[in-house]
Amino acid sequence: MRDEITNFQTCKSIAIMGGTFDPIHNGHLVAAEAVRHRFQVDKVVFIPTGRPAHKEGKQVTHNEHRYLMTVLATMRNENFDVSRIEIDRPGKTYTIDTIEQLKALCRSDVRLYFITGADAIHQIMSWKEPERLLSLCDFVAVTRPGYQKNKLFEDIGELRDKFASRIHYMEVPALAISSSDIRNRIRRGEPIKYLLPQEVEDYIYKFGLYQDEEQNEVKFVLSIDTMREKLQSALSLKRYIHTMSVSQEAMRLAEVYCSASERQKAEVAGLLHDCAKDYPEGLRDRFCREYKVPVDSIMQKQPDLIHPFLGAEVAKREYQIQDEDILNAIRYHTTGRAGMSKLEKIVFIADYIEPGREPFRGLEEARRLAYLDLDMAMKYILEETIQYVKERGRLLHPLSQEALDYYKNK
Ligand code: NAP
């Protein structure tokens, strides 16, 4: 926010590019540059919507993804900025609140332009405080080729007469590109190259955004509800509550870092991570023998290290989990190991930071790092855990030291 104050104080005029940007594409960038040139504004500020009031119930990609794609798309233009004000503002997103918040950061005589799709003009009377909004900034309605302009001109005329508003119009041929077309192309496996910046394309594929959720859905033999029911009878109430909380935290992390199919894996791995933790000693040893779980000398001396390894076998046999990534996330959720998969890291971290944890040293920092960078969070949690183990004179499993060495050198 500090940078924004410094930047905006020097601007006589600013264009605000409001949109969902799901995803941002070259049409948006061309439109923003055309407006900058036509109205000679000092800056175009892209503001990805936070919780759009008009999109309740509709699936919109996670805020941080839309924000980061917008940053990547605009970073090569020194006249473009991206603001988090809508993303960071709690509650539903209304443009009037955004304009007021932005105006407070600018010099008093700043001239503001709000760039948006022409459809918005037809609906503007249903927005919050439309009259005041129209008095605070100019609107620039941009259209794609082939847009029926007659109705638009009629509405612009009406609004102008009624509210003395300034609404401009610009046809932008590059807006033949649309976010919904890009999403559909990805679902159909068609190319999106040259429709959006390469960095945004790479980002979309890295995080598996806009993939067909049904196509990628992981099939489980037991339903997730059945797994929950089984866990409820296998675990103490306290452990069951912790399990549910880890599963939800893992899903939240997966929403930031993973594709839709991996989110479901995170939910299940989180649910099952402690599935063998409450077994009485006799049953635990019997299952270890039956399922051929290798119990090394450290695990023999410190039996609480057995449950993740036994848990992976129980998940396989009792909960019919076949996915190796889920089984490994359960297997290594306590010790960690070098070179963990994204899912393994997510379950390991979720177990440490889930919201039901009583406060302890390093918890808040781990929570902060978890949503910043998974590898940084892994290194931090491993360091804290190893120190904790040593302070209490407990035995450290070599896998944990190997994991720390790995994440220190990454
Ligand atoms: P939308 O429903 O996602 O988009 C409607 C159409 O307009 C789409 O075809 C979209 O194309 C296009 N479009 C949207 N923004 C554009 C832009 N800046 N430049 C060019 N084309 C654009 O609309 P939205 O993105 O959610 O909303 C647009 C802005 O209006 C946002 O800032 C939103 O917060 C604001 N809004 C405010 C209120 C309110 O205050 N009550 C209500 C509605 C909207 P693409 O899909 O290709 O982007």
Side-chain angles (χ1 to χ4, degrees):
M1 202 53 82
R2 204 184 165 75
D3 281 341
E4 287 184 337
I5 293 171
T6 333
N7 286 341
F8 298 159
Q9 286 293 339
T10 61
C11 296
K12 288 190 193 131
S13 56
I14 296 175
I16 298 151
M17 182 76 175
T20 313
F21 304 132
D22 198 11
I24 189 161
H25 53 67
N26 287 342
H28 295 129
L29 299 172
V30 170
E33 184 60 13
V35 171
R36 187 193 70 75
H37 182 253
R38 160 97 63 100
F39 297 94
Q40 290 293 298
V41 294
D42 298 315
K43 234 175 218 322
V44 180
V45 184
F46 287 71
I47 308 191
T49 52
R51 280 149 288 272
H54 60 298
K55 293 215 164 156
E56 280 200 328
K58 281 197 193 162
Q59 184 91 23
V60 176
T61 304
H62 194 279
N63 287 348
E64 295 299 334
H65 282 315
R66 292 184 294 107
Y67 169 74
L68 285 173
M69 288 191 283
T70 310
V71 169
L72 288 171
T74 52
M75 66 188 178
R76 290 181 201 283
N77 189 329
E78 59 177 7
N79 300 310
F80 287 179
D81 249 1
V82 185
S83 169
R84 296 182 59 92
I85 55 177
E86 288 199 354
I87 282 181
D88 289 341
R89 193 169 62 227
K92 288 182 192 161
T93 304
Y94 296 106
T95 301
I96 184 75
D97 302 333
T98 306
I99 299 290
E100 288 197 319
Q101 206 175 336
L102 197 77
K103 235 180 151 67
L105 299 173
C106 299
R107 42 196 278 177
S108 56
D109 60 347
V110 71
R111 184 155 179 189
L112 295 180
Y113 296 83
F114 188 79
I115 315 169
T116 191
D119 284 343
I121 303 300
H122 303 307
Q123 291 145 14
I124 202 154
M125 291 315 293
S126 66
W127 292 18
K128 188 178 160 194
E129 299 184 50
E131 198 173 338
R132 211 152 66 79
L133 184 59
L134 286 163
S135 73
L136 285 176
C137 61
D138 288 27
F139 268 73
V140 186
V142 289
T143 59
R144 3 189 79 103
Y147 192 85
Q148 285 303 319
K149 289 176 265 272
N150 295 352
K151 176 81 178 88
L152 178 65
F153 292 152
E154 238 175 68
D155 282 5
I156 291 180
E158 256 178 52
L159 291 167
R160 188 185 296 139
D161 295 346
K162 213 166 168 185
F163 303 116
S165 57
R166 281 185 296 214
I167 305 179
H168 315 270
Y169 156 78
M170 249 179 119
E171 180 169 313
V172 181
L175 280 175
I177 303 170
S178 77
S179 302
S180 58
D181 176 55
I182 291 175
R183 295 195 299 269
N184 288 333
R185 280 168 172 273
I186 295 168
R187 283 188 195 112
R188 294 194 298 259
E190 290 170 9
I192 54 167
K193 200 168 273 310
Y194 310 124
L195 299 175
L196 32 62
Q198 187 61 49
E199 292 85 352
V200 179
E201 182 182 345
D202 294 345
Y203 187 96
I204 288 172
Y205 288 127
K206 179 170 177 204
F207 288 97
L209 304 183
Y210 313 116
Q211 307 283 349
D212 189 336
E213 302 216 353
E214 264 180 37
Q215 196 182 316
N216 285 329
E217 210 174 310
V218 191
K219 298 270 181 278
F220 297 107
V221 176
L222 303 185
S223 72
I224 294 180
D225 280 345
T226 310
M227 290 186 214
R228 279 203 205 99
E229 264 172 34
K230 274 172 75 77
L231 281 169
Q232 226 170 345
S233 56
L235 302 176
S236 67
L237 180 62
K238 194 170 161 222
R239 176 88 38 220
Y240 179 70
I241 291 169
H242 163 72
T243 283
M244 295 299 288
S245 200
V246 171
S247 175
Q248 278 156 22
E249 188 73 52
M251 274 201 288
R252 278 192 290 276
L253 285 167
E255 206 180 313
V256 174
Y257 294 108
C258 302
S259 66
S261 59
E262 286 175 306
R263 269 173 243 158
Q264 222 187 352
K265 292 212 266 179
E267 179 180 12
V268 169
L271 265 183
L272 298 180
H273 80 287
D274 269 351
C275 66
K277 187 140 183 175
D278 283 348
Y279 286 163
E281 205 179 313
L283 191 62
R284 183 196 66 205
D285 293 346
R286 199 190 104 196
F287 275 148
C288 278
R289 280 192 302 278
E290 273 179 27
Y291 295 161
K292 300 195 172 36
V293 177
V295 177
D296 61 28
S297 59
I298 302 215
M299 284 149 80
Q300 270 165 14
K301 291 191 193 111
Q302 216 155 276
D304 57 342
L305 287 176
I306 296 174
H307 82 273
F309 297 92
L310 176 58
E313 300 309 320
V314 170
K316 194 171 174 177
R317 290 161 169 90
E318 311 281 325
Y319 293 82
Q320 317 289 328
I321 302 294
Q322 284 130 21
D323 185 284
E324 268 310 310
D325 202 15
I326 296 181
L327 296 175
N328 280 333
I330 299 169
R331 194 171 279 127
Y332 298 108
H333 82 265
T334 305
T335 56
R337 65 166 170 165
M340 292 161 87
S341 73
K342 211 189 295 174
L343 185 69
E344 290 174 41
K345 288 185 268 193
I346 281 176
V347 174
F348 183 94
I349 294 168
D351 189 23
Y352 197 81
I353 65 166
E354 61 97 347
R357 290 274 184 212
E358 292 291 330
F360 60 84
R361 186 191 66 200
L363 178 58
E364 283 317 310
E365 180 61 0
R367 284 181 175 150
R368 192 183 70 82
L369 290 173
Y371 286 88
L372 208 62
D373 183 285
L374 287 178
D375 288 345
M376 275 162 64
M378 281 304 303
K379 175 174 166 285
Y380 182 80
I381 295 173
L382 282 161
E383 275 170 347
E384 286 294 312
T385 308
I386 289 174
Q387 198 182 337
Y388 176 89
V389 165
K390 284 183 180 160
E391 277 168 12
R392 270 159 191 71
R394 293 164 66 127
L395 291 172
L396 180 68
H397 199 281
L399 280 171
S400 301
Q401 190 58 54
E402 283 166 30
L404 179 59
D405 294 343
Y406 177 88
Y407 287 105
K408 263 184 173 168
N409 294 320
K410 256 207 114 195

